[in-house]
Amino acid sequence: MNIFKFFRKSSFIIFSSMLIFIVSCTQYDLNSSNQSFDYSSHISFISNKSIINSLISTKYSKSISTKEISQDILNKVNIELGTNIAYSDLALDLADFKRDEILSISLELGWVNQRDIDLNNIFLNDLQTHNFDYALDNFENAVLNLELTKDEFEKLNFFANLVKSINYQYPDLFDLQNSQQARGFWACAGATLALAAATAGLSSCLTVVACAGAFLLHVVAMTNFADKCIPKK
């Protein structure tokens, strides 16, 4: 089963609009000699809910493909943020692949390396055995113990802001311990983490506020899991 079979296109828009402002009002200012995680982008997302809410009204026909929806959302974000971000067709299609396929494609194309995959696997395992806060703390500690260039660290900081904001909006997605649909949640959570890593690796301009916002939007637009993976209350 591919990731998109978990998803409904109505929630696709909620997720896409969710991250327009995750980094649009802030900028990463990281010191490569004294690295620390910066979550100002996540804070920006929280403080701009009213703008996000204005973007969730778009309705898409069921006949429209994942790639077409992703491209349409990206076009709107480019207009909103004054950017000119473009993706390959394969990048736009990533939501139609399973977790392992997303990571394999990303590794082959150089969007991630084996270290990124190892960190991603540990994060997912920590979600299964503990909880999101534990997984994020463990991820931070592991990253800070690595010898990374400024660019390498910024991409991992970008990934952390992305998953933190997704967890804020839809905490049930990463709550694998309490889920009554643990196997389905595992697939959704795992694919989400893979997409986040791939998108961080795709970007070459994460220190540019608007550019980072557009890249973040893309992965969240594809992470359209709310109706299918999160049980109704």
Side-chain angles (χ1 to χ4, degrees), residues 84-102:
N84 189 28
I85 303 300
Y87 292 93
S88 67
D89 285 347
L90 183 56
L92 289 169
D93 277 335
L94 278 181
D96 284 334
F97 293 93
K98 301 175 183 178
R99 168 181 170 78
D100 289 346
E101 292 171 332
I102 294 170

Side-chain angles (χ1 to χ4, degrees), residues 64-122:
I64 298 178
S65 69
T66 310
K67 180 171 68 176
E68 290 171 319
I69 294 175
S70 295
Q71 185 62 65
D72 183 67
I73 293 170
L74 185 59
N75 291 341
K76 292 175 180 176
V77 173
N78 277 330
I79 293 172
E80 180 73 21
L81 300 183
T83 55
N84 189 28
I85 303 300
Y87 292 93
S88 67
D89 285 347
L90 183 56
L92 289 169
D93 277 335
L94 278 181
D96 284 334
F97 293 93
K98 301 175 183 178
R99 168 181 170 78
D100 289 346
E101 292 171 332
I102 294 170
L103 293 175
S104 178
I105 291 168
S106 299
L107 180 63
E108 181 179 352
L109 295 177
W111 299 341
V112 301
N113 56 33
Q114 188 57 50
R115 177 205 62 216
D116 299 327
I117 293 176
D118 291 342
L119 288 169
N120 207 277
N121 287 333
I122 292 170

Side-chain angles (χ1 to χ4, degrees), residues 17-232:
S17 60
M18 171 181 129
L19 281 181
I20 273 194
F21 283 91
I22 190 172
V23 293
S24 63
C25 298
T26 59
Q27 181 169 342
Y28 295 111
D29 184 15
L30 304 175
N31 187 334
S32 59
S33 64
N34 185 25
Q35 292 170 339
S36 62
F37 278 85
D38 175 6
Y39 287 108
S40 55
S41 297
H42 170 64
I43 294 171
S44 178
F45 156 67
I46 294 174
S47 64
N48 285 282
K49 298 285 288 184
S50 61
I51 300 175
I52 292 167
N53 290 338
S54 70
L55 301 170
I56 66 175
S57 59
T58 303
K59 304 295 183 182
Y60 289 104
S61 167
K62 293 182 179 180
S63 63
I64 298 178
S65 69
T66 310
K67 180 171 68 176
E68 290 171 319
I69 294 175
S70 295
Q71 185 62 65
D72 183 67
I73 293 170
L74 185 59
N75 291 341
K76 292 175 180 176
V77 173
N78 277 330
I79 293 172
E80 180 73 21
L81 300 183
T83 55
N84 189 28
I85 303 300
Y87 292 93
S88 67
D89 285 347
L90 183 56
L92 289 169
D93 277 335
L94 278 181
D96 284 334
F97 293 93
K98 301 175 183 178
R99 168 181 170 78
D100 289 346
E101 292 171 332
I102 294 170
L103 293 175
S104 178
I105 291 168
S106 299
L107 180 63
E108 181 179 352
L109 295 177
W111 299 341
V112 301
N113 56 33
Q114 188 57 50
R115 177 205 62 216
D116 299 327
I117 293 176
D118 291 342
L119 288 169
N120 207 277
N121 287 333
I122 292 170
F123 200 113
L124 181 57
N125 182 69
D126 285 342
L127 288 178
Q128 294 176 279
T129 58
H130 294 84
N131 55 45
F132 179 82
D133 289 338
Y134 179 95
L136 185 60
D137 286 344
N138 198 28
F139 173 80
E140 290 179 355
N141 291 331
V143 170
L144 293 173
N145 284 327
L146 297 172
E147 294 184 2
L148 300 173
T149 66
K150 186 174 184 290
D151 287 344
E152 288 172 334
F153 183 78
E154 284 170 351
K155 289 185 177 183
L156 293 172
N157 189 89
F158 177 86
F159 169 87
N161 272 266
L162 175 55
V163 296
K164 190 175 179 71
S165 296
I166 292 174
N167 184 65
Y168 174 85
Q169 186 73 13
Y170 289 96
D172 287 343
L173 174 72
F174 294 133
D175 189 10
L176 303 185
Q177 289 294 296
N178 296 324
S179 170
Q180 295 180 354
Q181 303 177 27
R183 298 183 71 179
F185 268 52
W186 186 94
C188 291
T192 300
L193 294 178
L195 285 166
T199 300
L202 274 166
S203 178
S204 60
C205 55
L206 291 180
T207 55
V208 179
V209 175
C211 174
F215 275 99
L216 279 167
L217 174 61
H218 178 244
V219 71
V220 176
M222 291 193 298
T223 310
N224 169 40
F225 48 71
D227 288 340
K228 288 294 182 74
C229 292
I230 299 175
K232 298 292 187 293

